[in-house]
Amino acid sequence: KGSLFSFLGVNGAGKSTTINILCSILPKDEGRVTICGFDLDKRAQDIKRRVGVVFQKTVLDDRLTVRENLLMGNPEATEEEMIEAARAAHAHGFISRLPEGYDTVIGDEGALSQGQRQLLCIARIMLTRPPMLILDEATSSIDTRTEMRVQDAFSKLMQGRTCFIVAHRLSTIENADLILSLIHISEPTRPR
């Protein structure tokens, strides 16, 4: 608990595949994975409740409002808690400028950029406050200035939590307790 593990490597090395196995999105070929003392094969639902994930590709429901998307992870959150999480993720400003604010339907007229969508995913995780975080290139669609602010917010959120971070840049994971460098080994070419 409270450790920061990082996966570093080039495209195709298996960083996201490893994360997808941890999240029970992909099946594993063999072996056993335990998270927080739970066997992944037997207690996948218990594990999913304990893990907050921000993927490189945003996962939002375009049919729902900003508010509904934020509250998915914590339906009991108060209005103040929701706004505090949005502020911590640097999303409150652009949300306030939307036509209906927090009640704007996300899919309306392409109202949000990819970076803004990613900030909403980050705010949702901040509102959930799970005991374990998985960040799979979570700031890849955010400009450098905003990324610095979000990294600061993540630093506060990660305190006391077990975290897994997938990154391409070493600067993203320089404070990790353990860095796992994954390499891509291609099949040997056969002589013709």
Side-chain angles (χ1 to χ4, degrees):
K1 184 174 178 170
S3 297
L4 175 57
F5 302 98
S6 299
F7 298 97
L8 183 68
V10 298
N11 288 339
K15 301 180 303 293
S16 293
T17 299
T18 302
I19 294 302
N20 285 330
I21 289 171
L22 286 174
C23 296
S24 296
I25 295 170
L26 289 176
K28 59 184 174 32
D29 291 335
E30 59 184 76
R32 185 170 166 240
V33 177
T34 60
I35 300 175
C36 300
F38 296 107
D39 187 312
L40 187 60
D41 291 333
K42 298 175 184 169
R43 305 285 296 271
Q45 289 306 318
D46 290 326
I47 292 169
K48 285 181 181 180
R49 282 192 286 274
R50 296 171 181 270
V51 178
V53 184
V54 180
F55 290 106
Q56 182 173 2
K57 186 174 191 252
T58 58
V59 181
L60 295 170
D61 190 332
D62 286 344
R63 300 165 299 173
L64 301 178
T65 65
V66 170
R67 178 187 312 278
E68 291 167 325
N69 271 280
L70 291 178
L71 293 175
M72 272 184 192
N74 185 1
E76 281 80 41
T78 66
E79 180 85 4
E80 293 77 23
E81 289 170 331
M82 180 186 66
I83 291 172
E84 180 184 332
R87 284 186 198 281
H90 300 277
H92 179 71
F94 77 79
I95 294 170
S96 299
R97 291 188 296 275
L98 292 172
E100 303 295 323
Y102 283 84
D103 295 313
T104 301
V105 175
I106 289 190
D108 284 354
E109 303 168 19
L112 301 175
S113 71
Q114 184 60 29
Q116 290 171 328
R117 295 173 69 85
Q118 206 162 27
L119 290 174
L120 289 181
C121 291
I122 292 167
R124 181 171 55 204
I125 292 301
M126 291 185 164
L127 185 60
T128 307
R129 296 197 176 273
M132 187 165 79
L133 293 173
I134 297 176
L135 310 174
D136 186 358
E137 286 289 341
T139 58
S140 63
S141 299
I142 300 170
D143 62 83
T144 305
R145 189 170 141 232
T146 305
E147 181 180 8
M148 288 171 50
R149 293 178 183 156
V150 172
Q151 292 291 5
D152 178 58
F154 272 148
S155 294
K156 293 173 187 161
L157 182 63
M158 290 190 289
Q159 290 177 1
R161 290 179 170 79
T162 299
C163 303
F164 294 88
I165 297 179
V166 173
H168 284 104
R169 296 185 307 266
L170 192 57
S171 61
T172 308
I173 57 171
E174 61 190 0
N175 295 322
D177 296 307
L178 176 65
I179 298 174
L180 301 169
S181 181
L182 303 178
I183 58 171
H184 183 266
I185 301 174
S186 57
E187 291 184 32
T189 55
R190 293 184 179 163
R192 295 183 185 209

